[in-house]
Amino acid sequence: MTEYNDNILEEIETLDDVSQRVLWKGLANSSQFQLIRQLEYAVLDAQRSTRQSSNEDQDDEFAILMNSLDERNQQDEDEANPEVLPILGLEKDPEPTALDLAKTYAGFAELCTVKAQKHSLTRWDTPMSFEQMLKFRLDNYGNPVLNPSIAYDQMQSFIAVDKATFLKAAELEKEMSKEKFKHMIPDIITLYQAIRPDTGYFLSWDNLPVLNQHRIAVKTLDVLYKEWTRILKRPSLEGLATLGMLNATAVHFEGWIDWFERQHDTALSQLIMERGLNLIGVADIRKRYPLVKLTK
């Protein structure tokens, strides 16, 4: 029976250089993205508190209603994309705030970036910086999970407007969301500068709730399959030579994820049964990459 390390970061350090190069870069980018999302949540929390204080002073029922709708719209947007769901603080008391998690992800990003630079062969192996990821987030903000044109074609019998009107409304909503995020950027940068360590990095795998740990584990597999697919679409001798190593690493981490889910069955079942979360798992990652054929 295979023995696994509780800390997936230490597990990665036992891998070959090729797998580490791919994984550290992918996890650095992912943790930078999650860092920005948590800072965004922290800013939204601060704005929400300000609005609530203002509403209590003014007792403005219309303002309260609009704030409630804003929060509901934000929740719907997050639930449409499992990568950006607010994190639940399972097994943590007190439950970590968005800023608490941002601090951990800041350390995570620093660590993975250092590791990626150590194993990089070219400048293209280097992950995005915080500033680059922030620009990436802005450029892609408000992009729907499903193309609006395809969505309309599938649901037109339930939509009371024509396709042109629907698409125009979808584009307007996207631009409004992007503009809202653009106004948040100065506050996000200020928070980031406040929590980033002056030297080195801080990180504890144990500081992360089990949901975050599970997502990182699944993201690890996603990174491997994405690189695998990139090689298949643009084959080269060097790329083809790495497929065997990626295959062995993917097999290993599919086993690690299965082990992790068994270790935390109660907590993960609570997420699914009591909180209604749809956890992304190994089967979901496989479906995203139909070109990948795993050999065990």
Side-chain angles (χ1 to χ4, degrees):
M1 184 176 179
T2 305
E3 292 186 5
Y4 295 106
N5 195 309
D6 289 342
N7 188 327
I8 199 171
L9 304 179
E10 295 178 6
E11 196 79 25
I12 293 174
E13 289 183 329
T14 67
L15 302 175
D16 59 87
D17 284 346
V18 171
S19 296
Q20 288 200 52
R21 183 163 62 250
V22 172
L23 287 172
W24 291 127
K25 177 185 176 182
L27 291 180
N29 286 334
S30 177
S31 54
Q32 287 282 18
F33 182 87
Q34 291 297 335
L35 163 62
I36 290 171
R37 283 300 292 162
Q38 294 305 322
L39 292 174
E40 184 180 346
Y41 284 127
V43 172
L44 287 172
D45 285 343
Q47 292 177 348
R48 187 178 298 114
S49 297
T50 300
R51 289 199 303 267
Q52 288 175 346
S53 298
S54 176
N55 289 337
E56 290 172 0
D57 293 339
Q58 298 174 13
D59 195 22
D60 188 335
E61 294 184 3
F62 177 75
I64 294 174
L65 174 61
M66 292 307 296
N67 289 336
S68 177
L69 288 174
D70 286 343
E71 291 173 12
R72 180 63 213 176
N73 288 339
Q74 182 67 40
Q75 180 181 346
D76 289 343
E77 177 187 335
D78 291 341
E79 290 177 351
N81 185 346
E83 289 291 326
V84 299
L85 272 168
I87 304 302
L88 302 174
L90 290 180
E91 299 180 346
K92 302 298 172 186
D93 187 20
E95 182 172 320
T97 65
L99 200 55
D100 291 333
L101 288 170
K103 291 178 180 179
T104 301
Y105 275 117
F108 202 103
E110 294 275 353
L111 170 67
C112 293
T113 297
V114 169
K115 298 289 187 182
Q117 290 171 342
K118 176 182 176 182
H119 291 275
S120 65
L121 297 178
T122 70
R123 60 178 297 185
W124 310 116
D125 297 323
T126 303
M128 292 188 196
S129 65
F130 176 82
E131 292 75 18
Q132 289 171 324
M133 184 59 74
L134 192 59
K135 183 180 184 303
F136 174 84
R137 175 68 176 145
L138 175 61
D139 291 342
N140 293 276
Y141 202 89
N143 287 341
V145 176
L146 185 63
N147 183 289
S149 180
I150 296 176
Y152 184 90
D153 292 341
Q154 295 296 319
M155 304 184 296
Q156 59 181 314
S157 59
F158 301 98
I159 302 176
V161 298
D162 59 41
K163 188 172 185 177
T165 303
F166 177 82
L167 295 179
K168 183 177 180 180
E171 183 62 26
L172 179 61
E173 183 174 1
K174 174 184 174 180
E175 290 303 316
M176 290 175 63
S177 297
K178 181 176 289 190
E179 192 65 24
K180 179 180 178 182
F181 179 73
K182 188 183 296 185
H183 286 300
M184 295 171 61
I185 287 178
D187 291 332
I188 289 174
I189 293 174
T190 297
L191 283 179
Y192 173 67
Q193 292 172 339
I195 67 172
R196 186 181 182 189
D198 294 330
T199 58
Y201 47 80
F202 43 67
L203 170 71
S204 171
W205 173 258
D206 294 331
N207 283 347
L208 292 171
V210 65
L211 176 59
N212 299 67
Q213 294 178 345
H214 184 264
R215 285 179 176 165
I216 289 171
V218 172
K219 185 63 179 180
T220 300
L221 197 61
D222 182 83
V223 167
L224 292 168
Y225 281 1
K226 183 179 293 183
E227 177 65 11
W228 193 322
T229 300
R230 185 193 67 79
I231 293 171
L232 295 178
K233 288 182 176 180
R234 298 176 179 84
S236 66
L237 289 177
E238 181 183 359
L240 295 175
T242 68
L243 289 179
M245 288 179 279
L246 293 180
N247 182 88
T249 302
V251 169
H252 180 81
F253 277 108
E254 284 199 359
W256 194 96
I257 292 169
D258 179 69
W259 170 82
F260 180 88
E261 290 175 345
R262 294 177 187 276
Q263 292 288 110
H264 299 280
D265 180 72
T266 300
L268 294 174
S269 296
Q270 178 191 4
L271 283 172
I272 297 169
M273 302 301 295
E274 297 182 14
R275 307 204 185 188
L277 242 63
N278 180 28
L279 294 185
I280 301 298
V282 171
D284 300 294
I285 299 301
R286 287 181 178 178
K287 290 177 183 177
R288 292 180 185 177
Y289 302 97
L291 294 181
V292 172
K293 180 181 179 181
L294 197 64
T295 302
K296 296 187 178 181

